[in-house]
Every structure is written in C-alpha cells, then in structure tokens.
Amino acid sequence: MIEITNIYKTYDTGNKALRNINITIEDGEFVFIIGRSGSGKSTLLKLLLKEVEPTSGKIVVNDMNLGKMPRRYVPKYRRRLGVVFQDFRLLRDRNVYENVAFAQRVIGASPRKIRERVPSMLQMVGLSSKYKSYPQQLSGGEQQRVAIARALINRPEVLLADEPTGNLDHHNAIEIMKLLDKINRMGTTVVVVTHSNEIVNLMQRRVITMDRGCIVSDEEGGAAHEN
Amino acid sequence: MRISTFWYCLKEGVKNICRNVWFSLASVATISACIFLFCLFFSIIVNIQHVVKNVEGTIGITVFFDEDLSEDAIRAIGAEIRDRQEVSDMEFTSAQEAWESMKKDYFAGHEELAEGFADDNPLAGSASYQIFLSDITFQDQMVEYLYQLPGVRQVNYSNSAAAGLSSFNAVIGILSLVIIGVLLAVSVFLISNTINVAASFRKNENEIMRYIGATNYMIRAPFVVEGIVIGLMGAFFPLVGMYFLYLESVGYLTAKFQILSRIFQFLPLSQIFPYMTVVAVLLGLGIGFFASFFTIRKHLKV
Ligand SMILES: Nc1ncnc2c1ncn2[C@@H]1O[C@H](COP(=O)(O)OP(=O)(O)O)[C@@H](O)[C@H]1O
Ligand SMILES: [Mg+2]
C-alpha cells in the first residue's frame, strides 16, 4: 500500500511542484495520474522512488516510512519498485536478453536464477523471438516492452511508469497499455503517468488528475476531465 | 559477494578500459614511468648501500696519542670513546704491539736486524685505537670529536669513497622521492581523469542501476576494477623491463669495470627483485584503487 500524506515539494529554484498531495493506493490497484505538463506528476514518482525528498509531508510504501529510511537501505527499497520511462533508457551496447538480465546481475542474482527468469519474462512481454536483437533494431513499442521486462524481472510489488506511451504511436500505445493491464492482473500495483486522455478513457481505471501541483480530481473508473 | 557478480564487475571494468583506450593507456604509461623510476632508484640505492656496507666493515679511524701519555691515560680516553653511540667496535694497539707487528712486516726473515732497537722501541708513543663506526656517515663528526679530545696527537682516517657514496646515496634518495612524488601526482591525476571519462560513458547505465536498486558498492565496482587493472598493468611493464635491464647492466658493468669488482659487488637480482615486485605491485594497486575510488565517489551522490 502506498500512503501519501500532506506532501509539499518546493524545488531549490522556488518551483512549487506539489502542494498538499494526499493519495492512498491499495495493493493491486491500477492508477492513472494525468495532468498537463509541469503539473508535478513526475515529481510525485520521483518522491516514491526516493530520488527527491519532499519539503514536508509523509510517504509510506508497504509500511516503510520513506522519510525515516536510512540511506543505505534505499537500494534495497528500490528493488521493490519497478520503473519505466518515456525514453525507455535501454543499454544500447547490450541485446534484449542482456538488458533484462542486467537488472538481475547488478543486484547480485545467481546465474541460475537469471537463466530461469529472463526467458520467461521475455515471453511474458512477447519478445521471446527477439532476445538477441539490440535496442536500435527494435520498434519503440518493442523497446518499451524490454524496459518493462527489465522493471519486472526483480519481481517488484509496484510498477511506476512515467509516460510509458509518450514516444509511441497509437497502436503501440494501446499494446503497451494492454501489457500493463495484464501485469496488474497478475498482482502488481501499477501507477501510470500519462497525458493521453484517450488511453485513460479506454482503460476505465482509477484516474487522479493533477493541475499546478494539486490534485483536482480522483475518480474510480473515471474518464479524463477535459481541462 | 557471489563469484558470478565478481566476474561481472571485472568484465565491466575491463570494458571501461577498452571503451576508453587512449586515456587508459596514458594512465598505464605514467604509472609505469613512476614505478620504473622507483625500481631504478631502488636498485641503485640498494646496491650502493651494499657496497658501502662491504667497505664500512674494513676501514676504521686510527687515533694516536701524545707520546708522554701513559697507557692508563690512553685507556681512560679509550673508554670515553667507546661510550659514544657511533662506535661499533674498537681495537687497542699498544706501542709494543705496534712494534712487534712492524718487525714482522718489515723485517720478515731478518729479525736480527730489528734486534738493534731492542731496548728502545722506535715506535714509542704509537699506541693507538682503531675505531670502527656503526655508520660511515658519522665519520666526519667522529673525527672532529676525536681531535678535540686532550692528549690526541693525530687521527688517521680515509676520506674514503664509502663516505662519499653514502652521501651520494642520500642525494639519490631525495631526488628519487621528488621525481616519484611528481609522477605519482600525475598518475593520480590521469587515472582520475580516465575514471571521469568512463563515468560519463556510463552515466546512463549508472542511473538505471540506481533505479533498479544496485548498491553504491556495485555501481562503483567497475570503476574501481578499472583503476586497479590500470594500476597493475602500470606495475607489470616496468617490472618486466627492470628484470632484463638489471641483468643486462650488471653483466655489462661487471665486465667493463673488472678492477672494481673486488669492492663493487652487485646484489644478485634474486635478492632484490622480490622486494621490488611487492612494492611495485602495492604501489600500482594503491594508486589505481584510491584514485578510482575517490573519483567515482564524487559521481555517486544518490
Ligand atoms: N529538478 C528540478 N528543479 C527545479 N524545478 C523542477 C525540477 N523538476 C521539476 N521541476 C518543476 O516542477 C514542476 C513539476 O514538474 P514535473 O514534476 O516534471 O511535472 P510533470 O511531470 O507533470 O510534467 C515544473 O514546474 C518543473 O519546472
Ligand atoms: Mg513528467
């Protein structure tokens, strides 16, 4: 469970990115966060990743109070979250298999575990046949699938996606959303930041709308508000 | 740490080096130069010390006393000298003994010729102490001290090559420290730069690693490996070079200066090479490790 309570974030530059944010996300939920560019969506995800610290307020993820977490525990904590970005952030010098295996190697997983998990994960995202390809040889949609596989390989409880379809055409965007939906149905909590109303309307899930650092609506199964 | 993780870090470190070959080679070259000079000076200094030690044991200072001084008075002065720290050994030669020894040397086989002096020791007043020093560099100081003692007539000493060599050694020591220090600084600077470049190549990757939850330790590992490998290569080349250079030079010098070979005995390579290797490897390892570790730390504020 994710509990965000009275969160304020003002950057050093004086930008008030978040103002009094309160959100509770239950285990296994699928949540969209939408809003115009600059409304604070990415900042919210960065707070969850403990990449930036809030100016005030409290965040608790799975009973861990992020504000009180010692620095050396942060890597362990991050292993319980998966994250994907608009720009995929794959390693260009490694093939698909190695990109996914990378996430396991750098946390010191055993070679046996890697050999077991990577192929089944690639199958889950539908890339079994392209495991030897390099990112440059893949379409945007395929690259995002690799990124999702990499985010999930360490079996996180929560998947955070910051505009995962922002660089994709309509068809690929829908495909990626279907994949995220499938992942959610397998038990992972999914938080997706997007500014595509079309996608949000298609999925019929919980939608949190932000504007200038504030939450303006939080509705179940809701369609996006035009604003 | 898992063995597979170790190999992974090693591989990534080597990859860093390959991706950044010219900087890495420059780093290896300066460390090599640094360690090579160290080995060179080390061999020179150790050999000179060896020679000095050889010679030191054989030469001493000889003190003669005023002719009217009684043997008891001389022995009293002797006791005073013996108390000095620099003195490692002393030998007393009485006037009688001096004469006996001279008779043996000069009148060998014609002892009857010496008989003429029988009751009148021509070497009366030549009682002497021969003083051996613990370290030849104390010689000047000792001679000065001896001269100001009452009753001392003459001090004989060889202002020998040994003393000169010793101070020459000290000069080389200081010079080498300075040069090695400068090269050390240049090496650290170059490695640090190399690591900086590698870090910029890996910026993307490090960021992803951080999101995935890799420990700082794991993120740093490839860079530290890079530094260590560069450092070890920087030790390897000069050691190999030194090995052959030493054998060649000793062979050459021994052949060229055969006259000197009685005092100038080179230490066999086997006696100094192990020390040289240990120090060179530690030096390379140390430079590589610390330069990379502290450079990469700057890049990794979470
Ligand atoms: N590192 C930063 N330093 C200063 N201001 C920032 C930083 N990151 C974001 N901001 C500001 O915070 C506000 C929210 O940004 P962001 O969270 O990226 O919004 P969104 O993802 O919704 O587009 C914006 O006004 C942006 O300019
Ligand atoms: Mg954003």
Side-chain angles (χ1 to χ4, degrees):
Chain A
M1 193 164 74
I2 300 172
E3 294 169 271
I4 298 169
T5 324
N6 300 330
I7 282 290
Y8 286 80
K9 174 63 189 178
T10 305
Y11 281 105
D12 293 341
T13 54
N15 274 348
K16 292 189 195 313
L18 295 175
R19 286 183 262 198
N20 197 22
I21 300 293
N22 289 281
I23 302 173
T24 301
I25 299 172
E26 300 292 339
D27 287 345
E29 259 196 283
F30 191 120
V31 182
F32 281 111
I33 299 176
I34 65 168
R36 279 192 292 228
S37 178
S39 57
K41 308 180 297 292
S42 296
T43 301
L44 194 58
L45 292 194
K46 283 178 186 160
L47 286 172
L48 288 173
L49 283 164
K50 209 166 157 65
E51 194 185 334
V52 299
E53 298 298 321
T55 309
S56 68
K58 185 172 148 191
I59 300 178
V60 179
V61 179
N62 294 332
D63 297 324
M64 289 174 287
N65 185 337
L66 297 200
K68 293 196 174 140
M69 187 179 288
R71 213 144 253 309
R72 66 191 153 72
Y73 193 76
V74 172
K76 277 233 163 61
Y77 163 70
R78 286 188 181 148
R79 290 176 197 181
R80 306 176 64 171
L81 306 175
V83 58
V84 297
F85 301 94
Q86 179 171 357
D87 54 359
F88 321 130
R89 304 204 188 170
L90 300 177
L91 300 172
R92 300 173 58 82
D93 62 340
R94 275 166 242 218
N95 64 25
V96 168
Y97 183 95
E98 277 306 320
N99 262 282
V100 178
F102 175 73
Q104 293 240 279
R105 294 197 202 287
V106 301
I107 65 165
S110 73
R112 207 181 104 241
K113 207 159 158 194
I114 296 173
R115 275 195 305 273
E116 268 169 30
R117 279 197 189 179
V118 176
S120 66
M121 183 56 68
L122 286 175
Q123 189 175 13
M124 202 275 283
V125 301
L127 275 179
S128 289
S129 60
K130 302 218 167 175
Y131 73 100
K132 273 186 175 163
S133 305
Y134 283 80
Q136 311 74 285
Q137 300 165 333
L138 299 177
S139 75
E142 288 167 335
Q143 289 187 53
Q144 194 60 293
R145 284 167 193 275
V146 180
I148 290 169
R150 183 180 68 193
L152 293 177
I153 193 77
N154 292 330
R155 310 218 169 135
E157 291 133 23
V158 180
L159 179 66
L160 305 174
D162 195 351
E163 315 230 15
T165 59
N167 280 354
L168 304 181
D169 60 34
H170 176 77
H171 171 74
N172 275 306
I174 303 286
E175 290 297 314
I176 289 296
M177 278 303 152
K178 281 189 189 156
L179 176 58
L180 293 178
D181 189 60
K182 173 173 149 193
I183 289 160
N184 174 246
R185 284 177 204 285
M186 287 159 65
T188 310
T189 307
V190 178
V191 178
V192 181
V193 165
T194 180
H195 52 227
S196 164
N197 287 343
E198 186 194 0
I199 281 177
V200 171
N201 287 329
L202 179 81
M203 301 292 289
Q204 292 294 307
R205 298 292 199 127
R206 178 177 171 192
V207 181
I208 296 170
T209 311
M210 293 182 61
D211 186 27
R212 276 165 284 186
C214 298
I215 294 179
V216 295
S217 78
D218 183 348
E219 292 172 13
E220 277 304 325
H225 290 264
E226 306 296 327
N227 45 27
Chain B
M1 185 164 65
R2 226 178 260 284
I3 192 80
S4 60
T5 308
F6 172 80
W7 286 120
Y8 180 76
C9 293
L10 194 67
K11 200 181 100 193
E12 293 302 306
V14 171
K15 214 151 109 186
N16 272 2
I17 294 176
C18 298
R19 253 192 274 189
N20 195 5
V21 148
W22 293 110
F23 263 82
S24 305
L25 282 182
S27 303
V28 171
T30 37
I31 297 181
S32 292
C34 182
I35 291 177
F36 181 77
L37 281 184
F38 162 78
C39 292
L40 193 67
F41 287 129
F42 181 79
S43 327
I44 294 175
I45 290 173
V46 168
N47 270 299
I48 290 180
Q49 242 164 22
H50 177 64
V51 170
V52 170
K53 269 269 160 340
N54 272 352
V55 177
E56 228 165 37
T58 65
I59 51 171
I61 302 174
T62 316
V63 201
F64 296 94
F65 299 89
D66 292 341
E67 278 181 47
D68 51 357
L69 219 57
S70 70
E71 195 170 311
D72 283 348
I74 293 173
R75 293 228 182 237
I77 297 174
E80 204 177 315
I81 298 172
R82 194 186 295 275
D83 279 346
R84 306 260 311 178
Q85 284 212 321
E86 307 94 307
V87 177
S88 75
D89 200 10
M90 266 169 76
E91 252 170 50
F92 181 68
T93 312
S94 65
Q96 191 57 43
E97 284 164 349
W99 174 231
E100 294 297 333
S101 131
M102 183 155 178
K103 275 203 287 196
K104 229 189 262 160
D105 286 355
Y106 286 84
F107 301 95
H110 308 279
E111 274 83 3
E112 70 285 357
L113 290 178
E115 291 305 315
F117 297 103
D119 297 321
D120 185 17
N121 182 351
L123 293 182
S126 64
S128 68
Y129 270 112
Q130 185 148 38
I131 303 167
F132 297 98
L133 299 177
S134 57
D135 185 333
I136 195 82
T137 49
F138 295 134
Q139 182 167 271
D140 286 352
Q141 181 185 334
M142 192 65 195
V143 168
E144 215 169 287
Y145 162 78
L146 290 171
Y147 263 126
Q148 55 86 44
L149 284 176
V152 168
R153 172 164 58 93
Q154 198 189 335
V155 180
N156 280 354
Y157 63 99
S158 59
N159 199 353
S160 72
L165 277 178
S166 260
S167 45
F168 177 64
N169 228 7
V171 170
I172 289 205
I174 292 167
L175 188 73
S176 61
L177 277 184
V178 169
I179 297 179
I180 290 171
V182 169
L183 278 171
L184 214 67
V186 175
S187 312
V188 168
F189 172 76
L190 271 176
I191 290 205
S192 177
N193 258 325
T194 309
I195 299 294
N196 269 329
V197 172
S200 69
F201 275 130
R202 266 183 192 263
K203 197 164 182 293
N204 190 24
E205 192 169 325
N206 288 342
E207 215 173 280
I208 296 164
M209 282 172 90
R210 229 170 301 152
Y211 281 126
I212 290 169
T215 54
N216 277 339
Y217 173 71
M218 188 74 195
I219 298 176
R220 259 178 227 151
F223 300 97
V224 174
V225 166
E226 180 181 4
I228 288 176
V229 170
I230 289 177
L232 288 180
M233 288 207 288
F236 174 77
F237 293 119
L239 280 174
V240 171
M242 202 59 213
Y243 185 88
F244 291 107
L245 183 70
Y246 193 89
L247 290 180
E248 282 294 309
S249 339
V250 168
Y252 176 79
L253 290 174
T254 313
K256 195 90 182 169
F257 302 106
Q258 256 169 354
I259 336 121
L260 283 179
S261 65
R262 291 228 344 254
I263 40 164
F264 222 103
Q265 299 223 326
F266 289 97
L267 282 164
L269 183 58
S270 61
Q271 221 172 78
I272 62 172
F273 201 67
Y275 298 104
M276 211 149 85
T277 306
V278 168
V279 178
V281 167
L282 285 181
L283 211 62
L285 209 67
I287 301 173
F289 177 80
F290 286 106
S292 57
F293 184 82
F294 287 107
T295 306
I296 202 60
R297 239 162 89 106
K298 281 191 318 208
H299 287 271
L300 291 180
K301 298 272 140 58
V302 187

